[in-house]
């Protein structure tokens, strides 16, 4: 028997499961390995497995689950309900008990490649395991986020390493944070229902982690380590990889782990204001002293409002203004012209003329893939620039 199309995944000397590396359709040696290993894992069900193997043509057709795209793109449905719809679809695929993982997932593969793999998962609709459920959940959320209906949801991986009777077990779920409700939850699949999906009901990330730890203890598993990733980008066409490692908690040595988790959760909650928020629309402020509205729940808006920043661009000196503009220019450094210098010296603002710092921005508009350009408050002629992240 050739082992080209599947490889054993081991923990020490023990084989945990086999991985299909031959793609689709499955080759005959992969099928044979799946049936034989399933009998080894479930000796009491050997007769049932053989019956299914030898009478496939006589068995009833299995209903293929359909992704509820129409419901997920419905703007009248809340983000909480959409997350539940995604979880319902994942559960319809069923957990894979065969001992053969049908899809080869490389964690260092970019989101674009993982999106193509997710399409194949939807096409063949075979049972999946925890890692495949995480990849599929990311794909579905990103597909819906592109229509701005799930733009207020951040997603990040949560990996568990546990010990039970001397055996090491690993599990992963997709943590979810909803900006509109401020609640945490998780998407995933497991042999145990309470180790997979968690509703968006946890006010803090530490509460979500504590619930998983308590569920593990019910099954006589001791949690040794948890890895929480950074938020995943909202694009299935990104060349970025999933940031799996953001915060590592070792339960053996770190008794004060909730503080460490909450520190990491602040980075997750504030991630939206910098990268994943909706485009900020600011009207023309010519001859107007109105403060430009920013996106609600924006970390930048809350920070400036809290600290009551009142410095305007006109009140800054030439060097300070040059530094601000350089942040939004391309890599080439440019100096202010003589005309601009004279204009700045002749139009210095008094304290009475100074307005809120939001007037630093005259117009921010979206050009399909994010914030494309920023203009000054009228003292400098407009020049289209790009914000490189």
């Amino acid at each position: 028997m050739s082992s080209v199309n599947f490889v054993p995944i081991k923990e020490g000397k023990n084989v945990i499961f086999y991985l299909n590396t031959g793609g689709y359709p499955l080759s005959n040696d992969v099928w044979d390995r799946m049936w034989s290993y399933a009998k080894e894992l479930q000796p009491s069900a050997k007769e049932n497995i053989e019956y299914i193997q030898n009478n496939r043509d006589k068995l009833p057709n299995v209903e293929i689950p359909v992704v509820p795209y129409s419901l997920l793109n419905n703007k009248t449905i809340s983000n909480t309900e959409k997350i539940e719809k995604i979880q319902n679809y994942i559960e319809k695929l069923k957990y894979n008990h065969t001992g053969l993982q049908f899809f080869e997932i490389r964690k260092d593969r970019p989101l674009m490649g993982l999106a193509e793999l997710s399409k194949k998962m939807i096409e063949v609709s075979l049972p999946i395991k925890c890692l495949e459920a995480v990849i599929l959940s990311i794909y579905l959320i990103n597909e819906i986020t592109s229509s701005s209906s799930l733009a207020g949801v951040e997603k990040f991986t949560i990996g568990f390493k546990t010990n039970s009777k001397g055996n090491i077990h690993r599990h992963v779920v997709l943590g979810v944070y909803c900006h509109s409700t401020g609640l945490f939850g998780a998407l995933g699949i497991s042999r145990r229902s309470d180790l997979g999906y968690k509703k968006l009901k946890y006010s803090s990330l530490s509460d979500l982690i504590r619930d998983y730890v308590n569920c593990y203890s019910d099954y006589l598993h001791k949690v040794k380590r948890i890895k929480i990733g950074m938020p995943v980008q909202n694009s299935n066409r990104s060349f970025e990889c999933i940031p799996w490692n953001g915060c590592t908690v070792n339960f053996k040595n770190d008794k004060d782990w909730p503080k460490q988790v909450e520190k990491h959760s602040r980075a997750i909650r504030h991630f939206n204001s910098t990268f994943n928020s909706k485009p900020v629309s600011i009207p023309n402020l010519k001859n107007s002293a109105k403060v430009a509205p920013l996106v609600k729940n924006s970390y930048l808006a809350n920070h400036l409002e809290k600290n009551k920043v009142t410095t305007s661009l006109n009140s800054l000196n030439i060097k300070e203004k040059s530094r601000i503009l350089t942040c939004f220019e391309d890599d080439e450094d440019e100096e202010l012209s003589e005309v601009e210098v004279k204009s700045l010296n002749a139009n210095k603002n008094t304290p009475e003329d100074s307005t809120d710092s939001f007037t630093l921005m005259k117009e921010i508009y979206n050009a399909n893939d994010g914030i494309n350009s920023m203009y000054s408050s009228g003292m400098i002629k407009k020049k289209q620039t790009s914000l490189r992240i």
Side-chain angles (χ1 to χ4, degrees), residues 150-167:
L150 264 177
V153 172
E154 305 299 338
K155 51 202 177 297
F156 51 94
T157 59
I158 306 176
F160 301 89
K161 182 180 179 181
T162 62
N163 189 335
S164 176
K165 298 180 181 179
N167 297 321

Side-chain angles (χ1 to χ4, degrees), residues 357-377:
S357 62
F358 294 131
T359 57
L360 293 175
M361 298 174 289
K362 182 178 181 181
E363 184 177 358
I364 300 178
Y365 63 90
N366 180 272
N368 295 328
D369 58 345
I371 299 176
N372 184 50
S373 61
M374 178 176 287
Y375 300 100
S376 65
S377 59

Side-chain angles (χ1 to χ4, degrees), residues 58-221:
K58 300 179 182 179
L59 298 175
N61 294 328
V62 179
E63 181 182 356
I64 299 177
V66 179
V67 181
Y69 284 115
S70 59
L71 295 175
L72 295 176
N73 285 286
N74 189 341
K75 295 183 179 180
T76 61
I77 299 178
S78 66
N79 286 342
T80 302
E81 293 176 298
K82 291 175 182 177
I83 294 298
E84 291 180 357
K85 298 294 183 183
I86 294 176
Q87 178 63 29
N88 291 338
Y89 170 75
I90 290 174
E91 291 178 352
K92 288 180 181 179
L93 293 175
K94 304 297 182 182
Y95 187 84
N96 183 3
H97 293 276
T98 64
L100 173 72
Q101 183 173 314
F102 296 112
F103 305 96
E104 182 182 9
I105 297 176
R106 299 195 306 270
K107 288 188 174 182
D108 58 346
R109 195 174 181 185
L111 289 171
M112 179 179 289
L114 293 175
E116 295 301 318
L117 182 61
S118 299
K119 293 177 183 178
K120 178 59 69 173
M121 293 185 198
I122 295 174
E123 178 186 347
V124 299
S125 296
L126 288 172
I128 59 177
K129 300 180 77 173
C130 59
L131 181 58
E132 296 154 301
V134 167
I135 301 302
L136 186 56
S137 299
I138 292 174
Y139 168 77
L140 292 175
I141 293 178
N142 282 351
E143 279 295 291
I144 303 160
T145 304
S146 60
S147 63
S148 298
S149 58
L150 264 177
V153 172
E154 305 299 338
K155 51 202 177 297
F156 51 94
T157 59
I158 306 176
F160 301 89
K161 182 180 179 181
T162 62
N163 189 335
S164 176
K165 298 180 181 179
N167 297 321
I168 299 298
H169 300 267
R170 289 180 171 83
H171 180 52
V172 63
V173 297
L174 184 69
V176 176
Y177 173 74
C178 184
H179 286 278
S180 60
T181 61
L183 299 176
F184 287 89
L187 291 167
I189 195 169
S190 173
R191 294 183 179 89
R192 309 290 187 179
S193 59
D194 50 359
L195 293 178
Y197 174 60
K198 298 291 184 182
K199 291 184 178 181
L200 283 168
K201 64 178 183 180
Y202 302 90
S203 58
S204 66
L205 181 56
S206 59
D207 290 340
L208 174 63
I209 300 299
R210 188 176 289 106
D211 191 358
Y212 275 111
V213 173
N214 293 336
C215 291
Y216 267 115
S217 63
D218 293 339
Y219 302 113
L220 304 180
H221 278 245

Side-chain angles (χ1 to χ4, degrees), residues 148-353:
S148 298
S149 58
L150 264 177
V153 172
E154 305 299 338
K155 51 202 177 297
F156 51 94
T157 59
I158 306 176
F160 301 89
K161 182 180 179 181
T162 62
N163 189 335
S164 176
K165 298 180 181 179
N167 297 321
I168 299 298
H169 300 267
R170 289 180 171 83
H171 180 52
V172 63
V173 297
L174 184 69
V176 176
Y177 173 74
C178 184
H179 286 278
S180 60
T181 61
L183 299 176
F184 287 89
L187 291 167
I189 195 169
S190 173
R191 294 183 179 89
R192 309 290 187 179
S193 59
D194 50 359
L195 293 178
Y197 174 60
K198 298 291 184 182
K199 291 184 178 181
L200 283 168
K201 64 178 183 180
Y202 302 90
S203 58
S204 66
L205 181 56
S206 59
D207 290 340
L208 174 63
I209 300 299
R210 188 176 289 106
D211 191 358
Y212 275 111
V213 173
N214 293 336
C215 291
Y216 267 115
S217 63
D218 293 339
Y219 302 113
L220 304 180
H221 278 245
K222 185 176 181 180
V223 178
K224 298 184 64 178
R225 186 182 66 196
I226 291 179
K227 282 189 177 182
I228 307 173
M230 293 298 294
V232 183
Q233 286 196 358
N234 285 343
S235 174
N236 282 329
R237 286 162 285 278
S238 173
F239 287 98
E240 295 292 329
C241 299
I242 297 175
W244 300 92
N245 299 326
C247 171
T248 301
V249 179
N250 292 308
F251 280 77
K252 183 177 180 180
N253 302 324
D254 194 354
K255 296 181 180 180
D256 204 17
W257 63 267
K259 290 184 178 179
Q260 185 179 356
V261 171
E262 285 307 308
K263 181 179 179 180
H264 182 69
S265 72
R266 287 195 291 271
I268 295 173
R269 295 196 301 270
H270 295 161
F271 186 80
N272 179 70
S273 63
T274 309
F275 299 104
N276 287 2
S277 61
K278 291 183 178 180
V280 181
S281 177
I282 297 182
N284 194 334
L285 297 180
K286 189 178 293 184
N287 301 325
S288 174
K290 294 181 179 180
V291 177
L294 292 179
V295 178
K296 292 182 179 180
N297 298 328
S298 169
Y299 175 70
L300 176 62
N302 295 334
H303 173 75
L304 294 177
E305 181 179 357
K306 179 180 178 181
N307 294 280
K308 297 182 179 180
V309 181
T310 58
T311 305
S312 67
L313 184 64
N314 295 332
S315 64
L316 300 176
N317 59 40
I318 298 174
K319 291 184 179 179
E320 291 173 333
K321 183 170 183 178
S322 177
R323 291 171 185 169
I324 293 176
L325 295 178
T326 303
C327 295
F328 303 101
E329 294 290 340
D330 287 333
D331 293 339
E332 298 179 0
D333 294 328
E334 297 182 3
E335 297 182 357
L336 298 176
S337 63
E338 296 181 1
V339 176
E340 293 168 343
V341 174
K342 292 180 181 180
S343 178
L344 281 174
N345 294 332
N347 294 279
K348 288 185 177 180
N349 273 10
T350 63
E352 297 179 354
D353 295 328

